[in-house]
Amino acid sequence: MDEKIIKTEYSEVMQKSFIDYAMSVIIARALPDVRDGLKPVQRRTLYDMHELGIRYDRPYRKSARIVGDTMGKFHPHGDSSIYEALVVMTQDFKKGLPLIDGHGNFGNVEGDGAAAMRYTEARLEKVTQEAFLSDLDKNVVDFVPNFDETEKEPSVLPARFPNLLVNGSEGIAVGMATSIPPHNLGEVIDAVKAYMKDEAITTQGLMRYIKGPDFPTGGVVINKDDLLEIYNSGTGKIKLRGKVDIEKGKAGKTNVVVSEIPYTMIGANIAKFLSDIASLAESKKTQDIVDIMNQSSKEGIRIVIELRKDADVDNFINMLYKKTRLEDTFGVNMLAISNGKPETMGLKQIIKCNVDFQFEVASRKYTTLLEKERERREIQEGLIKACNVIDLIIEILRGSKDRTMAKAALTEGKTAGIKFKYKESKLMASQLCFTEKQANAILDMRLYKLIGLELEALINEHEETLANIYRYEDILSRRDSMAQVIMNELDEIKRSYKRDRRTVIENRAEAVYEEKKAEEMEVMFLMDRFGYARTIDLAVYERNREAADTENKYVFPCKNTGKICIFTNTGQLHTVKVMDLPFGKFRDKAVPIDNVSNFNSEKETMILVTSQTSLNLYRVLFATKQSMLKVVDGGEFDVAKRTVAATKLQEGDEVVNVEIWKDQKHIVLQTAEGYFLKFPVEEIPEKKKGAVGVRGMKLGAKDFVENVYYVPGAGETVIEYKDKKMELSKLRVGSRDTKGTKVRV
């Protein structure tokens, strides 16, 4: 067989392949269809449960059975995605209208996950059976082959209301994401009816019915005026707050009770909220908190924060809004699949798409019903006519040799081969012209149908069939009639499944929190050689001076309102607010400096740790491995950022020494190869922190500055060099940018 090699550009193949993959994820996995508001995995799960007969009025079945059947027949993408979709459709705290009735542990609002699928059971909710699946046998939607073409599945479910709005949706595709908030079922149905009565209605007109999102967790939407623009464009940000009540506590204390949370706080964010409140107390941002209690249960959320007697409650609540997720933002992006492609739609467009779909479904439904009623009329008319000539028909049946002969006589009047009792009967039989369906019904008819009551029932049934035909023809020929039928069905759904609104929609002013300024005082900063830091009172330090100096690497006074500055070998300056460090007793627990600053102990080394106050009073000396020196005014390091570049380094260079210049007269540079250079500090020029500096001494090809020492104007400075003591005051004073003296010991 001859090989055929097709040459093509690799980039074109990659581009086409990625586009195909992206569209597959967008259309077949991540985004919901605007018509039924379901993603493919949700639609397939519901349809599979329908096929298995796991309906609302039947016993529950194991979730594992549902997941396995769905995966094997319709959704070959792993059991976890199917089970997760099933779980979400059971959770009333995530969905405005749950579609599956779960039995067992299906998780909770606090973030506890569902039990394994082998333990839980499920069945369809009644609303799902009635509003999504009941008309599938009436050819209302197209059925398409499944992944291996062994089964058929619906391309969309005939949802009778805009499920996309009622239950919302969240999904991340390739290059796009959808985030649609849930709404109140009753309000959505009212808006749909308003649109059907007046298709020129504006979004503002629709919002007379749909006030805004209705989250299952309740809460308060505080930017009501922004909702019109959000519903017009399909994108925007909804500001949410939890519901807070104030109760009287014990001994005159006040309890702040959070009874409803923002929808975005569902799951692990409740634990994060409690942790954030505790952190506010630990970091001394507030001293009003006495106790925090999470009293949430199956009945609902109840988080109690006990405050001191003299606490400013309003200011504390505003602090919760500003410092925690009690006030949060829900990003709206109403993206869904419409006509086979992703589209961002506003409120009116979503309702329009659903109404158009309702008319399409109703048209197909009543066309199918009309055809069935016409078939029934044909048979009923044949049976009624047959009852009028029943003696002739019995004579034909008795005289025929087989069914075919009898059928031919009934439909075509053929009497050849049939034995008649009377000649008139043969003449009458030749005039018969029943249709084929009527003839089959007559031949299948049982004798008891000849009873008078049965005949009367047949006539009544025929009249009912004629009435149905007239009604269906009217519905199909007049849009107003079809619209009324759709609205009647919507009213029935609303009566059966509506609930009161949970989320309050209003405009509220932005929370204003006045942070109480801490009383300025001097404290002692302590940090051990492992990088654990804390602050203590000066009096506590004086009582434990010897232990504090022995156990800690850095010990110095600072203001509690000030900052700690950390200079590193990489030339960075990291700042830490003293307030962020724990303040307490001498043996209280410290925190790693990495946790309260950007300093990374795995990649950096501390060169100097000091207070911002000291830097502001003095100048700072820098020395690097490549012997670059400079003096910088300490005020330049009074910065707002947590991390800035303290100096500029050449490639391969790093900081060896940073020192505050107080009374130092000489600087001594020591290299790895044993060269020492001593010269006056005044020879080092003052530069900006962004400068490289000047060369301090000439280095050999592989030599580098290893240590830097300073000699004060009076007194001796003794160092240990190669296990021997060395007096720096005895070194000859040289000049900057010379080679220095080789010291041999």
Side-chain angles (χ1 to χ4, degrees):
M1 184 177 179
D2 295 336
E3 290 186 356
K4 187 177 180 182
I5 299 175
I6 300 174
K7 292 186 177 181
T8 184
E9 181 65 33
Y10 181 72
S11 60
E12 292 178 5
V13 175
M14 288 297 294
Q15 184 179 10
K16 183 179 183 304
S17 299
F18 185 77
I19 290 173
D20 290 345
Y21 160 74
M23 288 307 296
S24 173
V25 172
I26 291 167
I27 303 297
R29 297 286 291 277
L31 300 185
D33 193 298
V34 68
R35 295 172 292 178
D36 62 6
L38 298 172
K39 298 178 186 179
V41 64
Q42 297 172 322
R43 186 180 305 117
R44 289 164 176 167
T45 302
L46 295 177
Y47 177 66
D48 185 76
M49 293 177 72
H50 174 70
E51 285 291 284
L52 291 173
I54 313 173
R55 309 188 183 184
Y56 70 92
D57 53 355
R58 296 184 184 177
Y60 294 95
R61 295 282 290 277
K62 283 291 184 184
S63 300
R65 173 72 171 89
I66 301 166
V67 171
D69 202 67
T70 304
M71 183 167 61
K73 287 183 179 178
F74 308 117
H75 197 75
H77 299 293
D79 57 353
S80 60
S81 63
I82 300 171
Y83 187 52
E84 286 171 11
L86 186 151
V87 167
V88 170
M89 286 191 285
T90 68
Q91 294 175 329
D92 57 2
F93 54 85
K94 282 190 179 178
K95 294 295 180 184
L97 188 67
L99 302 180
I100 294 177
D101 178 11
H103 183 244
N105 176 16
F106 279 91
N108 58 33
V109 70
E110 295 189 52
D112 297 326
M117 67 180 82
R118 61 184 179 273
Y119 299 118
T120 60
E121 297 176 332
R123 65 184 177 188
L124 291 169
E125 287 278 7
K126 186 177 181 182
V127 65
T128 312
Q129 195 66 49
E130 293 179 350
F132 287 81
L133 300 162
S134 60
D135 289 333
L136 283 175
D137 58 342
K138 298 180 179 66
N139 190 34
V140 291
V141 294
D142 294 331
F143 277 72
V144 296
N146 69 338
F147 62 93
D148 61 359
E149 299 187 357
T150 59
E151 302 276 347
K152 292 281 188 179
E153 62 175 305
S155 58
V156 63
L157 294 184
R160 294 185 182 177
F161 57 86
N163 180 55
L164 188 68
L165 290 174
V166 173
N167 275 325
S169 185
E170 288 185 0
I172 300 173
V174 178
M176 58 184 68
T178 185
S179 180
I180 304 171
H183 295 78
N184 184 274
L185 174 66
E187 293 179 5
V188 170
I189 287 176
D190 289 341
V192 171
K193 289 170 60 181
Y195 174 81
M196 292 176 71
K197 292 174 183 176
D198 177 17
E199 293 188 359
I201 191 171
T202 62
T203 302
Q204 191 169 9
L206 290 172
M207 288 185 65
R208 286 200 292 270
Y209 305 96
I210 299 178
K211 309 299 182 185
D214 188 21
F215 296 102
T217 54
V220 183
V221 171
I222 64 170
N223 59 332
K224 180 180 179 181
D225 289 345
D226 296 339
L227 294 180
L228 178 59
E229 176 57 30
I230 291 172
Y231 284 136
N232 263 324
S233 64
T235 59
K237 293 181 178 180
I238 294 173
K239 291 184 179 179
L240 277 170
R241 281 183 186 172
K243 184 181 177 184
V244 178
D245 300 313
I246 300 172
E247 298 178 357
K248 288 185 178 180
K250 297 177 181 178
K253 296 174 184 174
T254 303
N255 290 344
V256 172
V257 181
V258 178
S259 56
E260 293 177 5
I261 58 172
Y263 186 66
T264 52
M265 203 190 281
I266 290 175
N269 286 322
I270 293 182
K272 177 71 166 57
F273 172 63
L274 295 170
S275 175
D276 288 343
I277 297 174
S279 296
L280 291 172
E282 289 174 3
S283 62
K284 308 299 181 184
K285 292 284 175 62
T286 178
Q287 296 182 350
D288 294 336
I289 299 175
V290 175
D291 195 11
I292 307 167
M293 295 164 282
N294 185 5
Q295 300 176 357
S296 303
S297 63
K298 291 181 180 180
E299 281 68 43
I301 294 293
R302 182 176 169 83
I303 298 170
V304 181
I305 307 166
E306 188 177 358
L307 304 184
R308 291 188 296 108
K309 289 182 182 179
D310 57 345
D312 186 341
V313 178
D314 291 337
N315 193 53
F316 177 79
I317 293 172
N318 284 340
M319 181 189 68
L320 293 182
Y321 290 144
K322 298 292 281 187
K323 301 288 186 180
T324 72
R325 295 192 69 172
L326 192 60
E327 178 178 317
D328 208 353
T329 300
F330 183 94
V332 177
N333 185 25
M334 297 201 286
L335 180 72
I337 303 299
S338 176
N339 296 321
K341 60 182 180 181
E343 188 175 349
T344 300
M345 293 173 280
L347 178 64
K348 182 178 178 179
Q349 194 174 355
I350 291 174
I351 291 176
K352 177 185 182 302
C353 288
N354 186 264
V355 169
D356 291 345
F357 179 59
Q358 293 303 320
F359 275 100
E360 179 190 341
V361 167
S363 179
R364 293 179 65 162
K365 173 183 176 180
Y366 287 105
T367 299
T368 301
L369 291 175
L370 180 60
E371 290 174 359
K372 289 181 178 179
E373 289 297 321
R374 283 174 174 169
E375 288 179 9
R376 192 176 287 115
R377 179 185 66 181
E378 179 183 340
I379 292 169
Q380 289 167 350
E381 287 176 348
L383 292 174
I384 292 170
K385 182 180 176 182
C387 287
N388 293 330
V389 290
I390 192 64
D391 294 333
L392 175 61
I393 290 173
I394 291 173
E395 197 171 339
I396 292 171
L397 294 176
R398 292 182 67 182
S400 299
K401 292 181 180 179
D402 53 29
R403 183 185 177 101
T404 304
M405 186 179 288
K407 187 175 179 181
L410 293 173
T411 57
E412 302 174 28
K414 293 180 179 181
T415 57
I418 300 176
K419 295 178 181 180
F420 289 94
K421 189 175 182 180
Y422 306 104
K423 290 181 180 180
E424 293 85 355
S425 298
K426 185 173 183 179
L427 180 62
M428 291 174 63
S430 64
Q431 296 174 357
L432 294 175
C433 57
F434 288 100
T435 65
E436 187 172 349
K437 290 179 181 178
Q438 289 173 337
N440 285 328
I442 291 167
L443 293 171
D444 293 337
M445 183 175 66
R446 296 185 179 183
L447 288 175
Y448 79 87
K449 288 287 186 182
L450 300 176
I451 300 172
L453 290 176
E454 287 293 328
L455 181 59
E456 186 180 343
L458 179 62
I459 293 170
N460 292 336
E461 187 180 332
H462 179 58
E463 290 175 353
E464 185 181 339
T465 299
L466 292 176
N468 286 339
I469 290 173
Y470 175 77
R471 177 168 170 262
Y472 296 158
E473 286 177 341
D474 179 64
I475 290 171
L476 289 169
S477 61
R478 294 177 58 241
R479 186 176 175 87
D480 288 348
S481 296
M482 187 177 288
Q484 189 58 51
V485 169
I486 294 171
M487 287 192 283
N488 289 343
E489 290 179 348
L490 288 171
D491 286 336
E492 184 60 34
I493 292 171
K494 180 181 175 182
R495 271 195 300 273
S496 301
Y497 304 108
K498 73 172 183 178
R499 59 166 176 75
D500 295 335
R501 165 172 278 280
R502 297 171 183 172
T503 302
V504 177
I505 309 293
E506 59 187 29
N507 287 312
R508 287 193 182 179
E510 185 176 350
V512 178
Y513 164 58
E514 295 181 4
E515 190 168 352
K516 295 179 181 178
K517 293 184 178 180
E519 183 181 343
E520 187 174 87
M521 59 182 287
E522 196 162 356
V523 295
M524 210 69 183
F525 172 81
L526 307 176
M527 185 165 71
D528 63 23
R529 60 192 179 89
F530 301 108
Y532 281 76
R534 59 201 168 100
T535 58
I536 59 174
D537 188 83
L538 288 179
V540 174
Y541 169 72
E542 289 298 332
R543 290 196 298 271
N544 301 273
R545 177 189 288 268
E546 185 177 349
D549 293 345
T550 304
E551 296 171 7
N552 293 282
K553 185 176 181 180
Y554 295 99
V555 180
F556 54 80
C558 60
K559 298 288 186 183
N560 64 334
T561 55
K563 294 179 181 178
I564 302 299
C565 296
I566 304 168
F567 293 88
T568 72
N569 64 320
T570 59
Q572 299 293 308
L573 166 65
H574 302 296
T575 61
V576 183
K577 289 182 178 179
V578 177
M579 284 289 188
D580 292 341
L581 298 170
F583 174 80
K585 299 177 181 178
F586 180 66
R587 292 298 178 188
D588 281 356
K589 189 177 179 181
V591 296
I593 202 71
D594 301 46
N595 292 3
V596 290
S597 71
N598 293 334
F599 174 74
N600 188 337
S601 57
E602 294 181 1
K603 298 180 180 179
E604 300 175 289
T605 303
M606 294 183 194
I607 302 297
L608 175 67
V609 179
T610 187
S611 69
Q612 184 72 63
T613 307
S614 297
L615 290 178
N616 289 339
L617 296 174
Y618 300 99
R619 289 182 291 172
V620 182
L621 295 157
F622 284 85
T624 74
K625 196 173 182 179
Q626 294 178 4
S627 184
M628 303 306 295
L629 308 177
K630 67 176 179 180
V631 175
V632 181
D633 187 286
E636 284 200 42
F637 303 110
D638 192 353
V639 293
K641 292 183 178 180
R642 296 185 71 188
T643 300
V644 295
T647 185
K648 186 176 180 181
L649 295 174
Q650 300 179 87
E651 187 176 352
D653 201 4
E654 65 178 78
V655 177
V656 175
N657 179 265
V658 181
E659 190 79 16
I660 295 176
W661 187 7
K662 295 180 180 178
D663 60 349
Q664 298 92 324
K665 187 175 181 180
H666 293 95
I667 183 172
V668 180
L669 304 179
Q670 176 230 313
T671 72
E673 294 183 356
Y675 285 89
F676 282 76
L677 176 62
K678 177 182 176 183
F679 59 90
V681 176
E682 283 85 353
E683 292 187 18
I684 305 173
E686 186 170 328
K687 301 278 186 180
K688 294 292 184 182
K689 70 175 188 288
V692 176
V694 297
R695 189 166 66 177
M697 70 183 295
K698 293 178 180 178
L699 300 173
K702 296 182 180 180
D703 204 5
F704 59 87
V705 175
E706 192 174 54
N707 287 306
V708 179
Y709 307 103
Y710 294 93
V711 180
E716 293 184 352
T717 302
V718 179
I719 65 167
E720 193 169 295
Y721 178 63
K722 293 188 177 181
D723 298 329
K724 292 189 177 181
K725 292 186 178 181
M726 177 178 173
E727 291 185 16
L728 296 182
S729 57
K730 294 183 178 179
L731 285 175
R732 183 176 61 85
V733 178
S735 300
R736 183 182 63 80
D737 200 19
T738 57
K739 192 170 183 180
T741 305
K742 178 88 169 180
V743 175
R744 302 181 187 278
V745 292

mmCIF file of all heavy atoms in Angstrom, residues 491-510:
data_model
loop_
_atom_site.group_PDB
_atom_site.id
_atom_site.type_symbol
_atom_site.label_atom_id
_atom_site.label_comp_id
_atom_site.label_asym_id
_atom_site.label_seq_id
_atom_site.Cartn_x
_atom_site.Cartn_y
_atom_site.Cartn_z
ATOM 1 N N ASP A 491 -47.718 29.195 35.741
ATOM 2 C CA ASP A 491 -48.478 29.486 36.966
ATOM 3 C C ASP A 491 -48.556 28.252 37.860
ATOM 4 O O ASP A 491 -48.452 28.358 39.089
ATOM 5 C CB ASP A 491 -49.889 29.958 36.606
ATOM 6 C CG ASP A 491 -49.901 31.378 36.058
ATOM 7 O OD1 ASP A 491 -48.957 32.132 36.361
ATOM 8 O OD2 ASP A 491 -50.838 31.721 35.314
ATOM 9 N N GLU A 492 -48.733 27.088 37.247
ATOM 10 C CA GLU A 492 -48.817 25.856 38.010
ATOM 11 C C GLU A 492 -47.491 25.556 38.712
ATOM 12 O O GLU A 492 -47.462 25.154 39.880
ATOM 13 C CB GLU A 492 -49.207 24.705 37.087
ATOM 14 C CG GLU A 492 -49.406 23.374 37.807
ATOM 15 C CD GLU A 492 -50.500 23.428 38.863
ATOM 16 O OE1 GLU A 492 -51.502 24.160 38.659
ATOM 17 O OE2 GLU A 492 -50.347 22.758 39.904
ATOM 18 N N ILE A 493 -46.380 25.763 37.996
ATOM 19 C CA ILE A 493 -45.053 25.553 38.586
ATOM 20 C C ILE A 493 -44.828 26.535 39.734
ATOM 21 O O ILE A 493 -44.327 26.169 40.799
ATOM 22 C CB ILE A 493 -43.958 25.710 37.513
ATOM 23 C CG1 ILE A 493 -44.045 24.557 36.505
ATOM 24 C CG2 ILE A 493 -42.570 25.742 38.149
ATOM 25 C CD1 ILE A 493 -43.150 24.737 35.296
ATOM 26 N N LYS A 494 -45.241 27.780 39.510
ATOM 27 C CA LYS A 494 -45.067 28.794 40.553
ATOM 28 C C LYS A 494 -45.876 28.439 41.796
ATOM 29 O O LYS A 494 -45.378 28.551 42.926
ATOM 30 C CB LYS A 494 -45.487 30.170 40.014
ATOM 31 C CG LYS A 494 -45.337 31.295 41.034
ATOM 32 C CD LYS A 494 -45.792 32.620 40.466
ATOM 33 C CE LYS A 494 -45.767 33.713 41.527
ATOM 34 N NZ LYS A 494 -46.242 35.014 41.012
ATOM 35 N N ARG A 495 -47.117 28.002 41.596
ATOM 36 C CA ARG A 495 -47.959 27.633 42.742
ATOM 37 C C ARG A 495 -47.351 26.485 43.538
ATOM 38 O O ARG A 495 -47.419 26.453 44.762
ATOM 39 C CB ARG A 495 -49.363 27.235 42.254
ATOM 40 C CG ARG A 495 -50.347 28.368 42.152
ATOM 41 C CD ARG A 495 -51.772 27.858 42.016
ATOM 42 N NE ARG A 495 -51.942 27.031 40.828
ATOM 43 C CZ ARG A 495 -52.241 27.513 39.628
ATOM 44 N NH1 ARG A 495 -52.398 28.808 39.454
ATOM 45 N NH2 ARG A 495 -52.387 26.692 38.597
ATOM 46 N N SER A 496 -46.754 25.558 42.837
ATOM 47 C CA SER A 496 -46.255 24.344 43.490
ATOM 48 C C SER A 496 -44.891 24.532 44.151
ATOM 49 O O SER A 496 -44.607 23.914 45.181
ATOM 50 C CB SER A 496 -46.174 23.198 42.477
ATOM 51 O OG SER A 496 -47.431 22.930 41.905
ATOM 52 N N TYR A 497 -44.023 25.382 43.562
ATOM 53 C CA TYR A 497 -42.620 25.372 43.997
ATOM 54 C C TYR A 497 -42.054 26.740 44.387
ATOM 55 O O TYR A 497 -40.869 26.836 44.702
ATOM 56 C CB TYR A 497 -41.745 24.780 42.878
ATOM 57 C CG TYR A 497 -42.194 23.411 42.463
ATOM 58 C CD1 TYR A 497 -42.816 23.199 41.236
ATOM 59 C CD2 TYR A 497 -42.040 22.318 43.311
ATOM 60 C CE1 TYR A 497 -43.255 21.939 40.854
ATOM 61 C CE2 TYR A 497 -42.465 21.055 42.945
ATOM 62 C CZ TYR A 497 -43.074 20.870 41.712
ATOM 63 O OH TYR A 497 -43.505 19.623 41.347
ATOM 64 N N LYS A 498 -42.868 27.794 44.382
ATOM 65 C CA LYS A 498 -42.323 29.108 44.745
ATOM 66 C C LYS A 498 -41.972 29.139 46.232
ATOM 67 O O LYS A 498 -42.496 28.369 47.031
ATOM 68 C CB LYS A 498 -43.319 30.211 44.408
ATOM 69 C CG LYS A 498 -44.521 30.257 45.343
ATOM 70 C CD LYS A 498 -45.368 31.476 45.072
ATOM 71 C CE LYS A 498 -46.540 31.550 46.062
ATOM 72 N NZ LYS A 498 -47.356 32.751 45.859
ATOM 73 N N ARG A 499 -41.080 30.046 46.583
ATOM 74 C CA ARG A 499 -40.723 30.269 47.986
ATOM 75 C C ARG A 499 -40.457 31.746 48.178
ATOM 76 O O ARG A 499 -40.273 32.509 47.215
ATOM 77 C CB ARG A 499 -39.488 29.451 48.384
ATOM 78 C CG ARG A 499 -38.267 29.749 47.564
ATOM 79 C CD ARG A 499 -37.005 29.173 48.195
ATOM 80 N NE ARG A 499 -35.844 29.381 47.363
ATOM 81 C CZ ARG A 499 -35.216 30.533 47.210
ATOM 82 N NH1 ARG A 499 -35.666 31.615 47.815
ATOM 83 N NH2 ARG A 499 -34.150 30.628 46.446
ATOM 84 N N ASP A 500 -40.436 32.170 49.409
ATOM 85 C CA ASP A 500 -40.199 33.583 49.706
ATOM 86 C C ASP A 500 -38.759 33.962 49.376
ATOM 87 O O ASP A 500 -37.843 33.136 49.436
ATOM 88 C CB ASP A 500 -40.479 33.867 51.186
ATOM 89 C CG ASP A 500 -41.947 33.662 51.533
ATOM 90 O OD1 ASP A 500 -42.783 33.773 50.620
ATOM 91 O OD2 ASP A 500 -42.236 33.370 52.710
ATOM 92 N N ARG A 501 -38.579 35.226 49.035
ATOM 93 C CA ARG A 501 -37.235 35.743 48.757
ATOM 94 C C ARG A 501 -36.393 35.704 50.025
ATOM 95 O O ARG A 501 -36.879 36.010 51.123
ATOM 96 C CB ARG A 501 -37.350 37.172 48.214
ATOM 97 C CG ARG A 501 -36.048 37.954 48.221
ATOM 98 C CD ARG A 501 -36.165 39.265 47.503
ATOM 99 N NE ARG A 501 -36.013 39.076 46.070
ATOM 100 C CZ ARG A 501 -34.850 38.944 45.460
ATOM 101 N NH1 ARG A 501 -33.727 38.970 46.161
ATOM 102 N NH2 ARG A 501 -34.778 38.784 44.168
ATOM 103 N N ARG A 502 -35.129 35.332 49.865
ATOM 104 C CA ARG A 502 -34.220 35.247 51.013
ATOM 105 C C ARG A 502 -33.239 36.420 51.059
ATOM 106 O O ARG A 502 -32.834 36.853 52.123
ATOM 107 C CB ARG A 502 -33.432 33.932 50.945
ATOM 108 C CG ARG A 502 -34.307 32.694 51.044
ATOM 109 C CD ARG A 502 -33.521 31.434 50.762
ATOM 110 N NE ARG A 502 -34.368 30.241 50.792
ATOM 111 C CZ ARG A 502 -33.974 29.035 50.428
ATOM 112 N NH1 ARG A 502 -32.738 28.856 50.009
ATOM 113 N NH2 ARG A 502 -34.792 28.012 50.474
ATOM 114 N N THR A 503 -32.814 36.892 49.900
ATOM 115 C CA THR A 503 -31.806 37.957 49.841
ATOM 116 C C THR A 503 -32.473 39.322 49.790
ATOM 117 O O THR A 503 -33.388 39.545 48.987
ATOM 118 C CB THR A 503 -30.903 37.771 48.607
ATOM 119 O OG1 THR A 503 -30.282 36.488 48.674
ATOM 120 C CG2 THR A 503 -29.826 38.844 48.550
ATOM 121 N N VAL A 504 -32.011 40.231 50.623
ATOM 122 C CA VAL A 504 -32.530 41.605 50.644
ATOM 123 C C VAL A 504 -31.769 42.425 49.604
ATOM 124 O O VAL A 504 -30.540 42.333 49.500
ATOM 125 C CB VAL A 504 -32.352 42.223 52.046
ATOM 126 C CG1 VAL A 504 -32.816 43.668 52.063
ATOM 127 C CG2 VAL A 504 -33.104 41.397 53.080
ATOM 128 N N ILE A 505 -32.499 43.222 48.814
ATOM 129 C CA ILE A 505 -31.888 44.070 47.783
ATOM 130 C C ILE A 505 -32.083 45.521 48.191
ATOM 131 O O ILE A 505 -33.216 45.993 48.315
ATOM 132 C CB ILE A 505 -32.524 43.834 46.397
ATOM 133 C CG1 ILE A 505 -32.544 42.345 46.044
ATOM 134 C CG2 ILE A 505 -31.786 44.629 45.327
ATOM 135 C CD1 ILE A 505 -31.200 41.731 45.815
ATOM 136 N N GLU A 506 -31.002 46.256 48.397
ATOM 137 C CA GLU A 506 -31.110 47.666 48.765
ATOM 138 C C GLU A 506 -29.786 48.377 48.516
ATOM 139 O O GLU A 506 -28.775 47.757 48.162
ATOM 140 C CB GLU A 506 -31.515 47.801 50.233
ATOM 141 C CG GLU A 506 -30.539 47.150 51.213
ATOM 142 C CD GLU A 506 -31.060 47.152 52.638
ATOM 143 O OE1 GLU A 506 -32.286 47.129 52.808
ATOM 144 O OE2 GLU A 506 -30.238 47.187 53.567
ATOM 145 N N ASN A 507 -29.812 49.679 48.672
ATOM 146 C CA ASN A 507 -28.589 50.480 48.604
ATOM 147 C C ASN A 507 -28.129 50.780 50.022
ATOM 148 O O ASN A 507 -28.928 51.216 50.855
ATOM 149 C CB ASN A 507 -28.839 51.798 47.857
ATOM 150 C CG ASN A 507 -28.989 51.594 46.368
ATOM 151 O OD1 ASN A 507 -28.179 50.905 45.753
ATOM 152 N ND2 ASN A 507 -30.021 52.175 45.777
ATOM 153 N N ARG A 508 -26.855 50.510 50.284
ATOM 154 C CA ARG A 508 -26.298 50.840 51.590
ATOM 155 C C ARG A 508 -24.985 51.582 51.402
ATOM 156 O O ARG A 508 -24.241 51.316 50.453
ATOM 157 C CB ARG A 508 -26.046 49.574 52.417
ATOM 158 C CG ARG A 508 -27.312 48.922 52.940
ATOM 159 C CD ARG A 508 -27.012 47.874 53.988
ATOM 160 N NE ARG A 508 -28.220 47.201 54.455
ATOM 161 C CZ ARG A 508 -28.229 46.233 55.351
ATOM 162 N NH1 ARG A 508 -27.089 45.831 55.911
ATOM 163 N NH2 ARG A 508 -29.363 45.663 55.718
ATOM 164 N N ALA A 509 -24.743 52.493 52.311
ATOM 165 C CA ALA A 509 -23.496 53.251 52.257
ATOM 166 C C ALA A 509 -22.313 52.332 52.534
ATOM 167 O O ALA A 509 -22.443 51.308 53.214
ATOM 168 C CB ALA A 509 -23.530 54.386 53.273
ATOM 169 N N GLU A 510 -21.170 52.709 51.988
ATOM 170 C CA GLU A 510 -19.965 51.917 52.218
ATOM 171 C C GLU A 510 -19.611 51.929 53.700
ATOM 172 O O GLU A 510 -19.750 52.949 54.383
ATOM 173 C CB GLU A 510 -18.807 52.481 51.392
ATOM 174 C CG GLU A 510 -17.543 51.652 51.477
ATOM 175 C CD GLU A 510 -16.435 52.172 50.588
ATOM 176 O OE1 GLU A 510 -16.703 53.062 49.760
ATOM 177 O OE2 GLU A 510 -15.298 51.690 50.728
#
